[in-house]
Amino acid sequence: MLMFPGQMAAEPVNVSEFQELARLALPKMYYDFYCGGAEDQHTLRENLEAFRRITFRPRILIDVSRVDLSTSILGYNISMPIIVAPTAMHQLALPEGPIREVATARAAATSNTIMILSFTSSCTIEEVAASCNAVRFYQLYIYKKRDITATLVQRAEKNGYKAIVLTADTPRLGRREADIKNKMIAPRLKNLEGLFSTKVTSDGGSDLEAYAKETMDPSLCWKDIGWLRSITKLPILIKGVLTREDGKIKFIPRLNSVVLTLDILPFAARKAVQVGVDGIIVSNHGARQLDYSPATISVLEEVVRAVEGRVPVLMDGGIRRGTDVFKALALGAQAVLVGRPVIYGLAAKGERGVQRVLEMLKDEFELTMALSGCPSVKDITRRHVTTEHERLHSML
Ligand SMILES: Cc1cc2nc3c(=O)[nH]c(=O)nc-3n(C[C@H](O)[C@H](O)[C@H](O)COP(=O)(O)O)c2cc1C
Ligand SMILES: CC(C)CC(=O)C(=O)O
């Protein structure tokens, strides 16, 4: 956003402008941490670019005097198919005052949508739960010290979180070169106070990476979903399943609904269903883990097909416009998660900023629906978009 000296900053009108405000507001180390991706950041660019290669097939002369964006996820009614992704350490975006993830949760509540609280949050599970009536899911990393993970799951359950989102794409942290150069600090995790010290120091690079190496369990495998199910009644969402080899896992009967945040691959999608999860989130962790993973929107349909409607599929990665939300729904997602845009809102304007970002995406999505001839989310179909693959195929 270009500004002349003395000129008042105009209110941002889109998510990119919020990003610029966040860049101006944050110390470089934190801004780099939030906006960066892994290694060459190819996937980071692709997450955005792949949306631009999808075009619309809008319909006309359909009554769109009322447009209904509401939907439901795992039985929870929400005002729009846009929910808050789990992102770490909101304290870095909003250092003043005790609020942090509480501000994000309150904004989600005002927007009548779901917030997924990160395992690496600055506020505690209890603080966020007490702050508002947003429907909350709890994102989980499985630590080498299983009892710590189990304690947090129990606290989430006790405090009214409605599902566990197991992030499974992080046996080790992706190589984020800006964090290495900046010597990114390790999180101080209030949730772990009295349980475990997260104070680690790297030998000259990213403390965050050293923290992940020290804590995350790289031996995590499919059978551990059985363990997780044995310690909670909550639905479980998993993030980050990858190979056909996962087929060795035995079927675990579904005891209750389970949601899964899945990173990318269709075999993984089948596996996720096989072990009895109730939903999948297609995600490449905002391009922060394995660089040269495909853009999530480009593999969404493949995953949706593999799942064959047995569980809902959600997606995240690169959602910056209401048109992106529409494209994801047309390709089979039941809802999308937004990560960085929420942080940009928080860094720029606190709770009100997050609220504005969610509102902007909602308004843009509503307009996209109207201009495409879709009065409700159920009216959005595969035939409302053309993918690059289809365009290339039609030229043969
Ligand atoms: C700064 C940052 C921190 C994140 N922290 C977490 C986390 O703690 N747990 C997790 O499962 N995913 C985490 N993610 C990934 C997000 O949940 C989500 O997959 C991603 O941000 C979506 O892409 P987007 O940022 O383009 O919307 C993080 C992403 C960012 C950008
Ligand atoms: C502390 C990190 C493990 C949080 C995270 O998932 C991320 O930065 O992408």
Side-chain angles (χ1 to χ4, degrees):
M1 197 165 34
L2 275 179
M3 264 187 296
F4 296 106
Q7 188 183 1
M8 285 286 287
E11 277 295 306
V13 296
N14 58 40
V15 165
S16 302
E17 292 190 357
F18 259 109
Q19 176 167 355
E20 182 55 13
L21 289 184
R23 192 182 66 77
L24 295 171
L26 290 173
K28 182 176 174 344
M29 177 194 277
Y30 301 163
Y31 179 75
D32 287 354
F33 165 68
Y34 283 137
C35 80
E39 297 187 351
D40 298 335
Q41 307 193 104
H42 171 80
T43 300
L44 188 67
R45 288 185 293 278
E46 269 298 290
N47 268 0
L48 304 178
E49 286 302 320
F51 275 109
R52 300 189 175 125
R53 295 192 288 264
I54 299 169
T55 53
F56 289 123
R57 303 184 69 248
R59 308 303 150 74
I60 55 169
L61 295 176
I62 292 168
D63 180 356
V64 288
S65 49
R66 278 165 178 256
V67 177
D68 179 7
L69 283 70
S70 64
T71 189
S72 99
I73 302 290
L74 294 182
Y76 297 100
N77 296 328
I78 47 178
S79 67
M80 57 181 175
I82 303 169
I83 71 180
V84 176
T87 50
M89 303 188 284
H90 288 194
Q91 177 180 6
L92 305 183
L94 196 62
E96 300 301 323
I99 46 181
R100 299 138 190 180
E101 283 86 4
V102 162
T104 311
R106 284 183 182 150
T110 306
S111 302
N112 189 13
T113 193
I114 296 167
M115 169 177 181
I116 306 175
L117 180 70
S118 166
F119 186 84
T120 43
S121 59
S122 310
C123 294
T124 63
I125 290 172
E126 291 78 10
E127 283 166 340
V128 176
S131 69
C132 65
N133 62 358
V135 174
R136 284 161 281 103
F137 294 174
Y138 185 64
Q139 178 262 320
L140 195 68
Y141 283 125
I142 295 197
Y143 271 14
K144 290 173 193 163
K145 292 180 193 287
R146 288 288 163 92
D147 52 329
I148 292 181
T149 296
T151 302
L152 293 177
V153 169
Q154 279 146 18
R155 278 166 58 188
E157 192 163 347
K158 191 166 154 227
N159 283 279
Y161 290 69
K162 303 298 185 195
I164 296 293
V165 174
L166 173 63
T167 299
D169 61 7
T170 315
R172 302 202 8 209
L173 204 68
R175 187 178 158 80
R176 303 154 187 188
E177 293 180 354
D179 292 350
I180 295 169
K181 279 191 191 156
N182 293 334
K183 303 192 191 317
M184 178 62 193
I185 54 163
R188 196 184 133 261
L189 302 179
K190 219 170 151 194
N191 272 321
L192 298 185
E193 265 169 21
L195 287 174
F196 180 68
S197 166
T198 47
K199 199 168 164 13
V200 284
T201 317
S202 78
D203 48 8
S206 160
D207 285 2
L208 191 70
E209 199 176 340
Y211 146 79
K213 203 164 181 179
E214 170 106 5
T215 54
M216 309 290 194
D217 184 354
S219 75
L220 188 70
C221 55
W222 277 108
K223 71 175 165 41
D224 296 312
I225 297 178
W227 168 77
L228 185 55
R229 299 200 71 169
S230 75
I231 63 160
T232 181
K233 291 195 180 64
L234 290 178
I236 301 167
L237 316 188
I238 300 173
K239 192 177 187 179
V241 179
L242 295 175
T243 65
R244 203 186 265 276
E245 284 83 345
D246 295 338
K248 287 184 207 130
I249 302 298
K250 292 198 180 65
F251 179 74
I252 298 164
R254 285 170 55 167
L255 301 173
N256 41 57
S257 60
V258 176
V259 178
L260 178 101
T261 303
L262 161 73
D263 275 25
I264 311 167
L265 297 181
F267 295 123
R270 287 211 188 93
K271 178 53 60 195
V273 174
Q274 204 181 350
V275 296
V277 300
D278 289 277
I280 285 174
I281 305 172
V282 176
S283 168
N284 55 27
H285 207 118
R288 295 161 75 78
Q289 287 297 102
L290 183 62
D291 199 17
Y292 298 94
S293 297
T296 44
I297 191 66
S298 70
V299 293
L300 171 63
E301 194 171 22
E302 207 173 296
V303 175
V304 167
R305 285 203 183 127
V307 170
E308 292 173 331
R310 281 175 287 192
V311 294
V313 176
L314 282 65
M315 73 83 68
D316 71 23
I319 299 282
R320 300 293 180 270
R321 285 283 189 187
T323 50
D324 299 336
V325 181
F326 186 102
K327 289 170 185 178
L329 264 64
L331 293 170
Q334 192 177 330
V336 300
L337 282 56
V338 283
R340 291 180 184 84
V342 165
I343 296 169
Y344 298 147
L346 191 66
K349 290 173 187 284
E351 179 181 334
R352 197 167 63 81
V354 179
Q355 218 176 298
R356 266 305 287 144
V357 162
L358 293 173
E359 224 170 61
M360 275 175 179
L361 290 171
K362 184 181 187 184
D363 291 348
E364 289 176 4
F365 176 53
E366 196 226 13
L367 181 62
T368 309
M369 286 173 68
L371 295 178
S372 302
C374 297
S376 82
V377 291
K378 284 194 213 72
D379 298 310
I380 302 172
T381 70
R382 179 62 183 84
R383 294 192 55 75
H384 282 91
V385 293
T386 304
T387 59
E388 188 187 33
H389 177 78
E390 285 167 329
R391 233 183 347 270
L392 293 175
H393 197 75
S394 71
M395 288 177 197
L396 295 176

